[in-house]
Amino acid sequence: MATYKAPLEDMRFVLNDVFKADQLWASMPATAEVTQDLSDAILEEAGKMTEGLLFPLNRNSDEQGCTWNDGEVTTPDGFKDAFKTFAENGWSAFSGNPEFGGQGMPKSLAVLFEEMMHSACSSFALYPALTSGACLAVDAHASEELKGQYLPKLYSGEWSGTMCLTEPHSGTDLGILRTKAVPNDDGSFNITGTKIFITGGEHDLTGNHIHLVLAKLPDAPAGSKGISLFLVPKFLPDADNNPGEANGATCGSIEHKMGIKGSATCVMNFDDAKGWIIGEPNQGLACMFTMMNYERLSIGLQGLGLGEASYQSAVEYARERLQGRSATGAKNPEGPADPIIVHGDVRRMLMNMRAINEGGRALAAYVGMQLDTSKFSEDADAKKKAEDRVALLTPIAKAFFTDRGLDITITGQQVFGGHGYIREWGMEQFVRDCRISQIYEGTNGIQALDLAGRKVARNGGKSVDAFLADAQAWVDANADNAQLASVKDDLQAALALLKSSTDTLLAQAGDNPDAISAGAVEYLDIFGYVIYAWLWAQMLAATDGRDDDFVKAKRITGQYYFQRVLPKAQSLAAQLNSGAATMMDLDADLF
């Protein structure tokens, strides 16, 4: 059966030993009170909450799902009580602005908390994740009046937030959306239109739902330059800031999905719903990207979290399932067969899962630290550098985490053999729940285009050069670390491969307009495998001077990554080098 225990030892190792996050937090006034002791205690409590409160909900969330009746959505049994406990214990305010009731915890700590939530129950995790993203956009762009009215209620868990972008005819191409916003004399706007695929658009967990809606003003310029962002509550707040009169924001239906069935995916109808503008007119897409970039990292963590849960379940099964004998002699001579973990192919699957998961956890923490620096640092140069690094790595984190997450959940299912195909064992649910993560918040193909086109080609590869310079500086500074002796050459070769792949992509783009879209996915994956190699080197270096079981396992897993996983980047580079010709030459009628 599926099992989950928060990987706290590895999380503490990444934060404390590899990145020494407490030193970063201490250097910034806004996070100076977050000590290692405090972060360790928070992770401990988060582990207890996700294991004890959320993981028991996961199976039934899939079996029962959400139900829709006359515009109202009921979540699976246990969700409402669990959310009440979740909010009362302050988890919904975790990273919020303290000025409005948030706890102000650093993102480098929050990413590990979010991973645990997605491991335990992704359907549940999506509700607070959307609210957190909405809070970020409101806090960054809304008026002081709107922030004071809405943020305390969102942080407390009394109200929840959504992101309303996609329309039936308009997904990635938001420039052709049709939702309209007509100004009123009192400064509000009447919002009319239909949005689809709205996560948490309607549910019974909170007393009000606050929708962030993209719409166009009557005199808006054409295309994406004419989009504005509006805050639209389900119920208009009364004089005491409690839910009052119903607004014209209703749920027309919910989708029947492959996975995440406990998460309500809604069709939302806005019929002259009263809303208030966030940010400046026609600047809504820029405002919404504050939320979208948060959600892209959060959805990446969905892939990472589900991969971890699948790995843990597969390990437990492999230790218990008896089948065949070890090639080197019986390891369970008193039994009828050996556990399948003795077999090389099973170990191959488990080691692939483990090496990718642990590399992903390190990348999540690294991106979290860049987000902390960009938000809280008082050093203008450090802040700008961190902002650029976040922009570069966000599409990688979203796409690489989720592509590998699906690989891992499928591998975990494979370890279970026939039982992995049976619902009661829980492994096929991980596969189905993970599959959406490659699609929403911008498909992974779109993430690759964002990376290759906007983040690399647009500035001539300067952002990649800056990353490679930092990576090389770290290698040079740690050249004498004994744990790097066996991997240093492979790491150097990997960094060189990323540089040559970047040069190839830029050269191809100069000759062929189709080159970026033809090679973007391979390029993103090359970058993913190379940055994992750099992070694995940092993890190996951090084990120097220790000799306990945790460290022994970490070193072997790191060696495995360099020997058996990293070489995939070389085959991807060969694909990238082949160019776009054979991909684009086939006439559409011949497909």
Side-chain angles (χ1 to χ4, degrees), residues 1-7 50-52 54-56 58-59 115-116 118-121 304-320 350 353 357 412 416 423-430:
M1 304 298 287
T3 186
Y4 177 67
K5 185 170 179 60
T50 51
E51 293 169 21
L54 301 189
F55 187 63
N58 194 49
R59 173 76 191 285
E115 179 202 322
M116 290 187 235
H118 280 296
S119 288
C121 185
L304 177 60
L306 287 165
E308 176 64 27
S310 182
Y311 167 73
Q312 290 189 22
S313 300
V315 168
E316 182 173 287
Y317 182 82
R319 287 170 173 160
E320 295 177 354
L350 295 176
M353 297 169 80
N357 283 343
F416 274 67
R423 285 170 63 177
E424 286 78 6
W425 289 82
M427 300 304 287
E428 58 86 38
Q429 182 188 343
F430 293 145

Side-chain angles (χ1 to χ4, degrees), residues 9-10 13 354 546 548-555:
E9 186 174 16
D10 197 51
F13 171 74
R354 179 174 183 140
R546 289 176 55 180
D548 51 89
D549 286 345
F550 173 85
V551 159
K552 291 175 182 176
K554 182 66 71 174
R555 288 174 183 161

